[in-house]
Amino acid sequence: MKFIQKEHGNGGKQTYELINGLFKPIFGSEILKRGDDSSIFDLASKKIGVTTDSFVVKPYFFKGGDIGKLSVCGTVNDLAVSGLVPKYITASFIIEEGFPIEDLQKIVRSMKEYADIAGVEIVAGDTKVVEKGSCDGIFINTTGFGVCEKEERLPSIEKIKGGQIVIVSGDIGRHGACIYSHSSELGVEEKIESDCAPLNRVINELLKNVEICYMKDLTRGGLATALNEIAQKASVDIYIEEDKVPVSNEVKALCDILGLDSYYLACEGRFVAVINKEDKQKTLEILKKYNKEACEIGWIEDTKEKRVYLKTSFGGTRILDMLYYEMLPRIC
Amino acid sequence: MKRYRYIFRGLVQGVGFRPFIYNLAKDLGLVGFVKNIGEGVLAEFQGELKSTAAIDEYIEKKLPRNAKIESIEKYEIEPNFDESDFYILDSSKGKISTIVPYDLGLCEECKREFYDKGHRHFMNPFISCINCGPRYTMIESLPYDRDRTSMKEFEFCYDCKKEYYTPDNRRFNAQSTTCPICGPRLFLYSFVEKKHIDGNNLELLDRVCNEIEKGKIIAIKGIGGFHLVVDPYNKEVVERLFQSKKREGKPLALVCKSIETVKKYCNVSEAEEEIFNSPRCPIILFERKTDHFLHVNAGLHTLGIMRAYTPILDYILTKTNRDLLIATSANLSGIPMIIDEDEALEKLCDIADFVLYHNRKIVRRCDDSVGFVLKDKFVLIRSGRGFAPITFKLKEKAVDKNILALGGHEKTTIALKKEDEVILSQYLGDLDTKEYIDFYEGSLIDLISLYDFDFDYIACDYHKDYYTTSLAQKIAKGQNKEVVFVQHHLAHIYSCMLEKNLQSCIGFAFDGTGLGLDGKIWGSEGFVIDGLEAKRVFHLQYYPLVGGQKAIKEPVRLAYYFSKIISPEFAESFFGGNEFLHQIFKTAQTFNYPLTSSMGRLFDIVGVLLGCGEKNSFEAQIPMLLESIADRNENGFYIFLMNFKHEIEINIVDILQQIIHDIKRNVDRRIISAKFHNTVAKIVVEVAKVLRENYNKDTVVLSGGVFQNKLLLSKTVSLLEEEGFKVFFNTVFPINDGGISAGQVYYTLQLLKNC
Ligand SMILES: [Fe+3]
Ligand SMILES: [Mg+2]
Ligand SMILES: [Zn+2]
Ligand SMILES: [Zn+2]
């Protein structure tokens, strides 16, 4: 087995071999193949969007994906929920000396696979190799460019108002639960599959057919954090019904064991959408083609406390805060 | 001819103080006047006086029983020759700093009149006088006058007016005075018939008694909220009450007419009897001596009993011929006690069969107060009706800045430091739900306006995820005030230091959870404190909170984890190969559970090991059972090692090992429980001895929720006193998180003194 050496990062012959022998053939992008200092491409649009994100997940191979897939999906999804069509992405790698080249190959192939599925082209990249111990295996940064096809259809926070409903595109907490289930000896024999997936197709179909007032993908901090951000930015209150939020049994079981709250578990292929009541049926029709678990989970109120409330099954309205300390109990 | 002006401060309004002064003047043959002012009571006496001696002596000898004078300001002024009599004048609203009176339970005289067929107050369900009746819960604003209370709706009839204005009458100037002719009236709604029942007050009361005898659940509007009243001798209805309230077995409060009833079932000390009969009428946790009522008190060794503090409760007890009734506050899980009839009629349909209410508004929600007596002192667990608002006079007026303290997250209270007083609100509940947060925020606004309060500093907990902490930051930002963050366990200690006016001490704060300054979950903290300087000197060695947040409700997770570490075969036989627990155990190897030094969890673990249950259906259920089973005569304890690191640390594994060893040897669990309690007490003493050596301090303060355990508290106090320590525990503010806000105030005071 071959491993990444310090020399792979020194800009010399071995770097050249790595780029031309590994990255370029897999990514296969015409723009990339030119090997110019900058990639030049055409984005025929009045408005373009750009987003960037770094990925440091451990383990880098997990059930349902790997760090490569994650780095493409994460950036594609950020563009998609903003109402943009993802077109191009760049990829930078920071690799620890001694990293298996075979693993790198797998990761890069996976990036290519999901770039193709999402319909984006990888147009620029960079690789740095750092000394053993300076980073943990591999870090990937991706930057994405998307175009706006119909400006008037762009979701925006200003469109949110009382009476609208909140929809989630699938069951929540899978990615976070997946990563936890991978920590060895976590007691769970079956690993949980991550929900990591590109969302641009489903979102594109939604945007063509219904008016989406606002969208947000669920990432770190999960559903609770995403909803809190929306409530804050839109100055509204959001009510969620506990019974309606879809959580798979395996995620529930893991949360039970670890004493975690599924509302705060990360997702990597789910989003919430705020829509007008009358669009509910059509929205759900489209969403359910992609994920049967998609459903309405709550509603918006104009009360302006900027809080997220959880209507629990046994009375009382719990506050679903944005948390400062992820796992610290408040109970005395 | 001399004239003297007196200004009385303290608990001098709503307690018959002005009539007392009037009678004083009459008896001593003086002219002048008395009136309520914002900051207390102002009186001027004029007559053939050489000095104030006669007046002062009269005051000292005949002060009304519920009045409490904090200070008297007096000086001679110019005589006024226009007066020919002594007058009671209308209030003038000045600056407000007087003590707001708390609600007073039914007095003997009123009770007698209530049952006296010939008396005009016969069967008056709202009978009250200057010595009894609602106060805090009916005051809308200060000063305390009838037109600023919810009694203002009810215009006096001729007789009431006469009583109210007759100086030697017990209802002279008693704002709660009323009668069936002019006062509030009763209404009875039946959920079964879905209609109001016709009838006068007495007929409705009799119907209620009849229904209670038949095993029905009646919601009754009282002083600070609604009760659910049922017959404790009817096990079926008690079961139904548990089911419908979703209380999961939480002990229910009992009410009775006299201490004689309590003595039938419980051991009663003189101090307990005194508090029971006092107008405060808290729920007192008495030690049970018989096996009665195990179905209402969750099998604990205590019964929570209060005196019938309203004529209605007293009447129902009499008429139904029950020595005790269950009177538990009408609250659904996660929702504060109901205080309003509309809400009662809307929300109690699945719980109660009838709602008995009246049309006097409850201005302020006040749950029944709860506490226990230790060494003649009353230890508050919940400050509510009869105590709230707690007004505490600062011994020294060192700082002129005002402070608002928002408390913690559970059992919250709000504290105001205004001039030289600290005022503590009633119990405001656990802030996990919108409903409690609404109550909390409403109370904050209420207190600020009631006390006309303006503050310079706002204090809160150090835990950023407490609702109160984010509220403090929000208010501070909006009003440009400074926030003071106070670590939770320090606040516990400072709450007691405030009461006892201490500047330095050795402090032990034992509870379930509070965020520590190192980001870990503290809960068994020892400090050496000098003013603002607080050094952490002791804690249980950190252990992982295996099973995460759920370990608090389900301590069986932790119990299994430690059993398995200590003795796998014991764990196997005790927990019978529980696969789920085993999975959790395995997670502990790799998953980063938060680390804790919680003493509360240790009591949980020992409780599980001694068969007190696996889950806490209500707070501290398992530790309370653990306390209940302990053999009071056992003096043995387990050996522990003090590890001298940065702080003194004790490894709980060592203690648990010996407990498991005892269990394996089939030692009686009552003995093991007692030995465990003794061990914790002994730990405090041994650590305190080391600290006394090193820091030259011999004052020890005990605070925090774990010390609600009376057995532990009394053992610890006794052992410490035997070793010559001066020991203090909370006797003014609640010993649990209800005292946190008071501690935050005192910490802030120390901070301000230093700068
Ligand atoms: Fe506490
Ligand atoms: Mg992102
Ligand atoms: Zn009375
Ligand atoms: Zn009357």
Side-chain angles (χ1 to χ4, degrees), chain A residues 220-252:
Chain A
R220 267 182 309 183
L223 179 70
T225 306
L227 292 177
N228 267 288
E229 283 176 22
I230 296 175
Q232 286 292 331
K233 281 202 277 186
S235 279
V236 292
D237 289 339
I238 303 177
Y239 283 79
I240 299 299
E241 284 178 275
E242 189 174 40
D243 298 342
K244 290 192 177 167
V245 179
V247 188
S248 74
N249 285 335
E250 47 188 349
V251 171
K252 269 187 200 153

Side-chain angles (χ1 to χ4, degrees), chain B residues 64-322:
Chain B
R65 72 183 85 138
N66 293 311
K68 204 175 144 214
I69 297 176
E70 294 281 7
S71 74
I72 299 177
E73 196 182 311
K74 56 183 175 187
Y75 45 89
E76 202 181 332
I77 54 171
E78 283 298 301
N80 171 355
F81 296 100
D82 299 340
E83 283 163 339
S84 56
D85 203 347
F86 194 86
Y87 303 97
I88 294 180
L89 302 181
D90 279 345
S91 308
S92 65
K93 189 167 169 153
K95 94 184 152 156
I96 294 165
S97 83
T98 189
I99 297 183
V100 177
Y102 51 82
D103 303 301
L104 301 164
L106 182 64
C107 77
E108 277 307 310
E109 290 96 328
C110 284
K111 193 163 152 182
R112 219 173 301 122
E113 289 169 4
F114 179 80
Y115 288 108
D116 178 356
K117 273 212 170 80
H119 202 279
R120 79 170 200 97
H121 283 291
F122 176 63
M123 289 297 135
N124 171 7
F126 304 95
I127 190 168
S128 68
C129 70
I130 205 67
N131 297 317
C132 72
R135 300 287 187 270
Y136 184 50
T137 54
M138 70 171 202
I139 293 173
E140 286 164 351
S141 62
L142 293 175
Y144 175 48
D145 270 324
R146 190 172 169 107
D147 56 2
R148 281 181 284 265
T149 71
S150 58
M151 288 305 294
K152 66 173 189 268
E153 309 288 325
F154 307 99
E155 210 171 303
F156 284 132
C157 67
Y158 174 78
D159 288 326
C160 284
K161 194 170 187 169
K162 210 168 95 188
E163 282 192 281
Y164 183 86
Y165 286 109
T166 305
D168 59 356
N169 192 289
R170 223 172 63 255
R171 299 199 171 81
F172 175 67
N173 258 289
Q175 314 302 357
S176 55
T177 299
T178 191
C179 79
I181 292 162
C182 64
R185 58 153 301 184
L186 293 175
F187 300 86
L188 181 62
Y189 182 82
S190 159
F191 282 119
V192 188
E193 296 171 55
K194 291 198 173 59
K195 66 172 181 95
H196 280 87
I197 310 291
D198 291 330
N200 62 28
N201 287 347
L202 192 56
E203 286 161 353
L204 296 182
L205 277 176
D206 284 343
R207 174 72 186 268
V208 162
C209 294
N210 197 266
E211 297 294 343
I212 288 173
E213 283 169 352
K214 283 198 282 185
K216 293 293 186 318
I217 300 175
I218 322 289
I220 300 179
K221 187 176 180 182
I223 301 294
F226 275 78
H227 278 137
L228 293 172
V229 177
V230 304
D231 177 4
Y233 292 96
N234 184 330
K235 291 204 171 154
E236 248 169 73
V237 71
V238 175
E239 183 52 32
R240 185 155 72 91
L241 183 64
F242 277 128
Q243 297 275 330
S244 54
K245 263 190 92 179
K246 292 182 180 150
R247 288 269 298 237
E248 298 171 77
K250 200 172 175 185
L252 302 170
L254 295 163
V255 60
C256 70
K257 283 165 57 171
S258 86
I259 195 71
E260 301 317 316
T261 302
V262 183
K263 285 177 180 168
K264 276 199 285 179
Y265 307 105
C266 302
N267 299 315
V268 179
S269 72
E270 249 174 65
E272 283 168 333
E273 180 163 351
E274 195 179 306
I275 293 164
F276 181 88
N277 286 325
S278 80
R280 293 181 184 269
C281 301
I283 297 170
I284 302 173
L285 302 176
F286 291 100
E287 252 164 64
R288 183 165 60 73
K289 65 178 183 194
T290 70
D291 280 345
H292 294 86
F293 306 112
L294 289 179
H295 61 294
V296 306
N297 77 336
L300 300 177
H301 71 300
T302 52
L303 284 176
I305 310 177
M306 60 188 156
R307 181 163 70 82
Y309 58 86
T310 67
I312 291 176
L313 285 172
D314 200 278
Y315 180 76
I316 295 174
L317 279 157
T318 308
K319 181 82 183 180
T320 57
N321 210 14
R322 302 293 193 273

Side-chain angles (χ1 to χ4, degrees), chain A residues 17 52 56 59 111 139 225 234 238 241 259 294 324:
Chain A
E17 274 174 15
T52 188
V56 296
M111 290 178 78
F139 297 163
T225 306
I238 303 177
E241 284 178 275
Y324 196 91

Side-chain angles (χ1 to χ4, degrees), chain A residues 117-179:
Chain A
I117 290 172
V120 294
E121 199 178 336
I122 299 168
V123 292
D126 179 50
T127 308
K128 290 284 177 316
V129 176
V130 296
E131 250 171 74
K132 224 173 171 41
S134 295
C135 97
D136 199 355
I138 183 167
F139 297 163
I140 304 176
N141 171 277
T142 53
T143 297
F145 299 88
V147 297
C148 167
E149 289 190 337
K150 270 192 185 150
E151 212 171 302
E152 67 281 6
R153 283 219 173 248
L154 276 189
S156 93
I157 200 83
E158 289 80 24
K159 291 185 184 172
I160 296 180
K161 54 179 189 287
Q164 291 168 338
I165 60 171
V166 180
I167 300 235
V168 67
S169 71
D171 62 326
I172 60 159
R174 281 189 160 277
H175 183 69
C178 163
I179 297 304

